[in-house]
Amino acid sequence: MRTRIKICGVRDAEAARVVAECGGDAVGFVFVEGSPRSIEPEAAAEILLDLPLFLWSVGLMVNPTEDLFEEVIETCPTTHTQLQGTESGSFVESVGPNIIKAVAFDEKRVENDLKRWSSADGVDAVLVDGSAGGQGVAFDWSKLAAVRGACSKPLIVAGGLTPDNVGEAVRAVRPFAVDVSSGVESSRGVKDPELIAAFCDAVRRADG
């Protein structure tokens, strides 16, 4: 199975174009105030208009209210929404479907997290990050691989991935997709075309 690639924290049309040209599958928009990768929904919607056919789009939010969630989706109707906070099961189900539920890796809790969210209505995929998100923190992928069977929905690996280590993560976990942000940046919040290309190439090599 081919590992899908999501480049998160895209803030301009040029970066989105590079993702498409390099064989990426999705671009992520961060709708979180204060993040160095934050973008306004109106600006992201302009980028959406120029995305190539079949390139997914994902809007990232952290603990939004239902009103804010609906407002963002109405302004910028992304393919999926990634919920990166401590959202309740009832909230996630109320705003689904097309939800990617992110959890921070915790060896003691990850198996239960996988079971919980992969059985939740409205959740299309579960993403395991090395932190609360956007901090570039990796984790022990072998420990996730040991419990990946607990996830009945597509599994996405994020956190501290770079062109140098993503191949190892892919071979260890064999996830549905990998998600990168800081690992393909030349400076905080600025995507680097060469690093994006190298990252995509490394994933393809790991896929064999």
Side-chain angles (χ1 to χ4, degrees):
M1 184 180 72
R2 181 177 67 84
T3 306
R4 275 67 171 183
I5 300 169
K6 171 174 169 267
I7 308 296
C8 196
V10 167
R11 297 195 297 166
D12 57 75
E14 175 63 18
R17 182 188 63 77
V18 171
V19 173
E21 290 180 350
C22 292
D25 299 279
V27 294
F29 302 119
V30 177
F31 300 130
V32 180
E33 289 187 13
S35 167
R37 302 169 188 94
S38 179
I39 186 172
E40 291 298 322
E42 293 82 3
E46 290 295 320
I47 297 174
L48 278 186
L49 294 175
D50 292 327
L51 290 184
L53 188 64
F54 299 133
L55 184 66
W56 297 348
S57 56
V58 180
L60 185 154
M61 296 185 232
V62 177
N63 298 324
T65 63
E66 286 195 34
D67 286 345
L68 176 60
F69 182 96
E70 292 174 2
E71 180 183 333
V72 171
I73 292 301
E74 183 175 345
T75 303
C76 184
T78 51
T79 313
H80 289 79
T81 301
Q82 181 173 322
L83 294 176
Q84 194 81 24
T86 56
E87 297 86 4
S88 67
S90 60
F91 176 86
V92 172
E93 291 183 9
S94 73
V95 298
N98 304 321
I99 298 298
I100 298 171
K101 184 65 187 86
V103 299
F105 178 80
D106 181 319
E107 184 178 358
K108 296 179 181 179
R109 200 178 63 230
V110 66
E111 185 172 8
N112 286 336
D113 284 341
L114 293 176
K115 290 178 179 178
R116 175 191 180 191
W117 292 115
S118 63
S119 65
D121 291 339
V123 172
D124 286 2
V126 182
L127 181 148
V128 180
D129 206 331
S131 66
Q135 299 176 32
V137 177
F139 59 92
D140 188 337
W141 301 305
S142 66
K143 293 180 179 177
L144 176 60
V147 297
R148 75 176 316 282
C151 188
S152 60
K153 292 184 178 174
L155 178 64
I156 304 169
V157 173
L161 297 177
T162 69
D164 293 330
N165 67 15
V166 68
E168 181 183 350
V170 168
R171 288 188 290 269
V173 183
R174 291 299 173 188
F176 171 80
V178 288
D179 186 350
V180 64
S181 187
S182 62
V184 291
E185 292 180 346
S186 56
S187 60
R188 207 170 180 209
V190 179
K191 294 294 181 279
D192 185 309
E194 292 185 3
L195 290 176
I196 291 174
F199 187 90
C200 292
D201 287 344
V203 174
R204 301 294 172 243
R205 288 197 303 272
D207 280 344

